[in-house]
Structure formats: C-alpha cells, structure tokens
Amino acid sequence: MKLGIVGLPNVGKSTLFNSITKAGAESANYPFCTIDPNVGVVAVPDERLDKLTALYNSKSTVPAVIEFVDIAGLVKGASRGEGLGNQFLANIRECDAIVHVVRCFEDSNVIHVEGSVDPIRDIETINLELIFADLETLEKRISRTAKAANNDKTAKKELETLRRIKTVLEEGKAASTIEPEDEDEAKFIDSLFLLTTKPVIFAANVGEEDLADDGASNEYVQRVREYAKETGCGVFVISARIEEEIAELDDEEKAEYLETLGMTESGLDKLIRASYDLLGLMSFLTAGEKETRAWTIKKGTKAPQAAGKIHSDFERGFIRAEVINYQDLLDCGSLSAAREKGLVRSEGKDYVVQDGDTILFRFNV
C-alpha cells in the first residue's frame, strides 16, 4: 500500500511524515522545503506476529508495510505549474490513497500560506488543483479518442465516458462521484489514473490540548468531520508535533507518554487503521520456523488469490488452504494440538479469507 501525504505549505505535513517514517525529510517554516518527494516505508504494528514468532521460534518476522510519499506543499495554481506544480501531482498518481493533512490549530508563529486558518477552504483549494489536473488529462485523452470514435464502437463508448467525467469535473466535483454504468466502464475509469478517483483520508492536525478528547471540542475538526462524512472520506485527529516527540521514544516510554496525554494509540496507529478501513484491507498470517509474516489483502479475497500474494505459483497450482484462527492456534499452543482438536480447517477455492487467519497453502505446479 502506498499513501501520498499532501497538504498546503506549513500545515504539518512534513513534520508528520518525519515522525511516522523517521526518514528525516527536511521540515521548516516556509513553503516548498521538500524539493523531491520523500519516501518512507513503515511496518504495520501487529502484536499477532510477535506471538506467533514466539510460538514457532521463527528465525524472522516480516510485518505488512505501508509506503508513505511526502509530496511538497501544493498551492493555488499547482495544476498550472505554480509552486512546484505538476511534478508533485504526478507523484500522487502512483499512490493508492491520499492522506490530506489539514491545519486545525492556531499558532501565530507558524505562517499560513493563505493568512488564516480555515480547513475547508484549504481542502477545497487542493481539491480544485486535483480537478484541474484531471481536466487537463481528460482533454488530451478526449482529443485522441475522438479521432478513433468514428470507426470504433469501443472508442465511441470511451469518448462518452470521458465527456461524462469531464462534465462532472467542470461542476467542481471529484471523478469518484461518478457511478459507472457497468464493469467495463469501471475498469476504463480506473485505467485513467485520475487523481480525484483516489480515496482520501483527512489528517486533522491539532495542538496537544485537543488530543485527549479526539478533537471533539475543536471547531475546525468538527467542520472537517462533517465535510468527510458528506464526501465519503476518512478522517482522524493527530498532532504532528506530538508524533514527532513520540517517534524518539522506545515502546515503554511511548506507552507512558500516551497515557499522560489521555491517549491509547499513536497518530500512526490511527492512520494505519483509517487506511485499512478506507481501502477495505486486512491481513492474513503465515507462520513457521523459517518465517512469520503478515500479508495484506482486500477484504473478500478468496483463498487462491490470497495464495497468489505469496507467489503466483501458489495461486496457479492451488489445491487447498489449511486454515486456523490466529487465537485458536495460540490457545492450543501448537498446530499439531490444534489439529487434534479439529480446529484446522481444509478450505477450497471458494473460501473467503478472514482477518487473522493463519494459513498453510497446499499447491502443485
């Protein structure tokens, strides 16, 4: 999973990126300090892995990972090359979802590029730039497709779809608001890699004083939550500065610090949970002496396709999946004890994998 972190300059975007990836992207109180997109890979915290590793005495533990791309602060006119412009919009195209950091705190020492704090205005500024960029993409595609549409039924249908999307964008709406007429149209829209089709999670960046009640008393946060509800986006509350401090602590110190703040989880934990929920993701597990590992898949994935995440041969030669619930395996103390109790199930090609399933795939190529 790859997430692109975007936002106006000085909203806490690079501070957040630094803290969750410890990748050291430069952070400063002026626009465009991130000259190249910074990339960091973060392990998804999963206590199940540690317990299975101990159970099997595994030589290695491999968590699921999320790749974060810190994209330079966008400004009005980015789609036309203002600021650092199109090169950063191109980086967003490669991401599975957008984490949009929105400033929800007052601080006279931190310059706001628009001169005042207004999260909805900021959101709409960036949304507009993404729409403009998509319109530019569509206009080029329409020009090419129109030439072929006279003699090609597929091109004619594609042209109708392109023009329908263009109309929606010109109304100031995201391409994600379009309901595809059929599966073929849905696939075609996906193939366009439009920025406004990507799922969005708003990171409401607040001061320390708003963390304990999860931003409930912060008017800016409430406005972002209402906007997210109306547009089908995710939202979570974070303090980029606090995350920066947490990033320097070990696990025990981190737990103690979170407790003093009245929090049970870090902003990174919230972000990962929000990302998995928004994208409909979950993890299944594999375990043994050599390796214990988490694999990220879409909810609703069937056993052969889950096996294909490990290796294409596993999917191609799939015979069956030997499945046990993670907690049942721990309670039994070993796979052999679980087999004796009849808790290891043999599942076929139609089995839909569940979160926390521990699986051994049988295959023959």
Side-chain angles (χ1 to χ4, degrees):
M1 175 163 54
K2 181 185 277 191
L3 303 178
I5 303 179
V6 305
L8 290 172
N10 299 334
V11 296
K13 182 178 57 62
S14 289
T15 302
L16 174 60
F17 174 83
N18 290 352
S19 61
I20 61 180
T21 65
K22 297 184 183 178
E26 183 185 356
S27 177
N29 186 22
Y30 56 87
F32 316 130
C33 63
T34 312
I35 304 303
D36 293 310
N38 291 274
V39 178
V41 177
V42 176
V44 176
D46 192 337
E47 63 178 13
R48 299 174 300 189
L49 287 178
D50 295 331
K51 292 178 180 178
L52 284 177
T53 295
L55 182 67
Y56 280 89
N57 196 25
S58 305
K59 291 178 182 175
S60 68
T61 306
V62 184
V65 296
I66 297 178
E67 189 173 320
F68 288 95
V69 183
D70 179 30
I71 295 160
L74 296 172
V75 293
K76 280 183 183 176
S79 59
R80 300 185 302 278
E82 292 294 325
L84 292 168
N86 286 330
Q87 67 188 96
F88 295 102
L89 293 171
N91 293 125
I92 302 171
R93 291 190 198 283
E94 301 169 5
C95 297
D96 298 305
I98 295 170
V99 179
H100 186 163
V101 183
V102 188
R103 179 169 166 175
C104 293
F105 66 90
E106 296 278 2
D107 187 340
S108 59
N109 294 317
V110 181
I111 302 159
H112 192 291
V113 72
E114 294 286 351
S116 62
V117 178
D118 184 342
I120 305 306
R121 177 203 60 207
D122 294 353
I123 288 170
E124 291 177 345
T125 294
I126 285 190
N127 285 352
L128 204 54
E129 292 309 317
L130 301 184
I131 287 170
F132 285 149
D134 280 351
L135 277 169
E136 186 179 337
T137 298
L138 283 176
E139 283 163 4
K140 290 176 183 174
R141 187 66 180 260
I142 287 170
S143 178
R144 290 202 310 270
T145 308
K147 293 174 184 175
N150 292 330
N151 306 310
D152 187 324
K153 284 185 179 179
T154 302
K156 186 177 180 181
K157 187 178 180 184
E158 288 179 354
L159 184 61
E160 289 170 2
T161 301
L162 291 167
R163 285 174 172 162
R164 191 154 63 93
I165 300 170
K166 186 170 181 280
T167 298
V168 168
L169 293 172
E170 286 173 341
E171 291 171 355
K173 298 174 187 173
S176 59
T177 61
I178 292 172
E179 287 289 336
E181 293 178 353
D182 53 38
E183 192 175 331
D184 286 341
E185 185 175 59
K187 287 179 180 177
F188 174 65
I189 293 172
D190 284 345
S191 74
L192 297 172
F193 294 103
L194 298 174
L195 303 176
T196 61
T197 58
K198 294 190 182 298
V200 176
I201 306 166
F202 295 117
N205 188 16
V206 302
E208 179 184 334
E209 66 280 1
D210 289 318
L211 284 176
D213 67 354
D214 202 34
S217 57
N218 183 310
E219 180 190 343
Y220 297 136
V221 172
Q222 297 317 307
R223 288 165 63 190
V224 173
R225 282 186 169 137
E226 287 168 16
Y227 186 93
K229 188 176 180 181
E230 290 168 7
T231 53
C233 299
V235 62
F236 71 104
V237 174
I238 196 167
S239 170
R241 282 294 172 205
I242 294 298
E243 290 302 307
E244 195 172 38
E245 293 175 18
I246 289 173
E248 302 302 321
L249 305 176
D250 61 32
D251 288 346
E252 189 175 333
E253 291 171 329
K254 174 181 162 183
E256 290 175 2
Y257 188 35
L258 288 174
E259 190 177 345
T260 64
L261 295 170
M263 298 165 61
T264 56
E265 59 181 350
S266 70
L268 175 58
D269 295 332
K270 287 183 186 178
L271 173 52
I272 290 171
R273 187 157 41 80
S275 303
Y276 270 61
D277 288 346
L278 187 69
L279 295 171
L281 301 175
M282 57 174 231
S283 295
F284 74 90
L285 312 168
T286 55
E289 288 183 14
K290 183 179 177 182
E291 175 186 273
T292 290
R293 184 165 184 161
W295 304 87
T296 302
I297 56 172
K298 285 266 189 186
K299 290 177 182 175
T301 299
K302 292 185 177 179
Q305 287 69 50
K309 285 287 289 184
I310 299 173
H311 197 286
S312 57
D313 284 351
F314 283 32
E315 181 175 359
R316 189 158 53 91
F318 179 87
I319 299 172
R320 68 180 186 275
E322 295 181 5
V323 184
I324 181 170
N325 173 270
Y326 148 81
Q327 192 58 54
D328 287 343
L329 177 56
L330 280 187
D331 292 345
C332 291
S334 70
L335 189 61
S336 56
R339 286 189 197 281
E340 289 175 11
K341 292 186 177 182
L343 294 174
V344 180
R345 310 185 311 277
S346 180
E347 301 287 1
K349 291 183 177 180
D350 291 329
Y351 176 68
V352 177
V353 176
Q354 303 299 305
D355 186 56
D357 277 351
T358 304
I359 307 179
L360 175 64
F361 291 106
R362 301 292 185 185
F363 71 102
N364 182 36
V365 177

